[in-house]
Amino acid sequence: MSILNILYFPDPRLRTKAKPVEIFDDALRTLIDDMLETMYAAPGVGLAATQVDVHKRLLVADASEDQDAAHVFINPRIVARDGVCVHDEGCLSFPGIYEEVERAGQVTVEAQDGKGKPFTLEVSGLLAVCVQHEIDHLDGKLFVDYISELKRGRIRKKMLKQQRQVS
Ligand code: NI
């Protein structure tokens, strides 16, 4: 397994719309393992393939405290939403940035597992927030798109400054 490079905002590749996964082979399973390892190492509760510059509809998530409840969603689709939840969200592509975002409190997701087998899962709480956030990534959408343009501009400046200091 290996740790993958994460793209940081405002990298334009984060705006790519991912394509459906059609082939469920060993390369896909290696990608899933690497994405899980990358998410746990960060540490984060979710990671979309878009964030590691792979533009396929695939995400991993683990909202448990002990990092022992890994979920893999391939070609995920939200088929039902219920309730409202406001959560202070972060994102591995935005180190140190947190903003409140309003989303559905409970969602039903249809997806496929690493072998292509379809499943339906109803999720709530942090995992529901996470799944909605990660599916947005697959559509090139970011959590800062929910806040004001002014705030987004400030975050963009802050991120560019951080990146200059690192490189
Ligand atoms: Ni994110």
Side-chain angles (χ1 to χ4, degrees):
M1 289 203 283
S2 45
I3 304 269
L4 305 168
N5 277 326
I6 295 174
L7 301 178
Y8 296 115
F9 181 77
D11 193 309
R13 289 172 289 182
L14 287 170
R15 295 299 185 180
T16 313
K17 198 165 166 23
K19 296 207 164 67
V21 172
E22 283 166 355
I23 299 164
F24 293 79
D25 57 2
D26 287 343
L28 179 72
R29 286 181 281 275
T30 301
L31 173 63
I32 292 167
D33 288 343
D34 289 348
M35 282 176 57
L36 282 167
E37 198 185 6
T38 305
M39 174 184 79
Y40 286 130
V45 294
L47 183 69
T50 310
Q51 292 177 277
V52 293
D53 201 22
V54 174
H55 302 286
K56 290 181 185 168
R57 303 193 72 81
L58 149 70
L59 67 92
V60 295
D62 186 343
S64 70
E65 250 174 56
D66 299 326
Q67 299 197 325
D68 59 359
H71 288 280
V72 177
F73 297 91
I74 300 177
N75 299 325
R77 279 194 318 127
I78 293 174
V79 294
R81 301 165 194 268
D82 196 27
V84 173
C85 161
V86 178
H87 185 79
D88 207 20
E89 292 186 22
C91 177
L92 293 179
S93 296
F94 295 73
I97 307 286
Y98 298 89
E99 289 292 336
E100 279 191 348
V101 177
E102 184 181 302
R103 299 190 189 267
Q106 188 175 311
V107 294
T108 305
V109 191
E110 280 183 8
Q112 284 162 279
D113 67 13
K115 289 181 174 160
K117 193 177 159 221
F119 66 91
T120 303
L121 190 67
E122 198 178 284
V123 294
S124 58
L126 181 57
L127 187 57
V129 169
C130 181
V131 166
Q132 291 170 85
H133 174 121
E134 304 309 333
I135 291 178
D136 274 354
H137 274 299
L138 302 179
D139 292 321
K141 188 164 182 179
L142 300 168
F143 77 125
V144 293
D145 296 348
Y146 293 92
I147 62 175
S148 73
E149 208 179 320
L150 180 72
K151 266 191 176 175
R152 190 162 56 248
R154 284 195 197 129
I155 290 171
R156 186 190 169 90
K157 268 191 199 155
K158 196 171 167 188
M159 290 289 302
L160 287 169
K161 196 173 160 196
Q162 269 182 27
Q163 287 159 33
R164 275 198 305 272
Q165 282 163 351
V166 179
S167 56

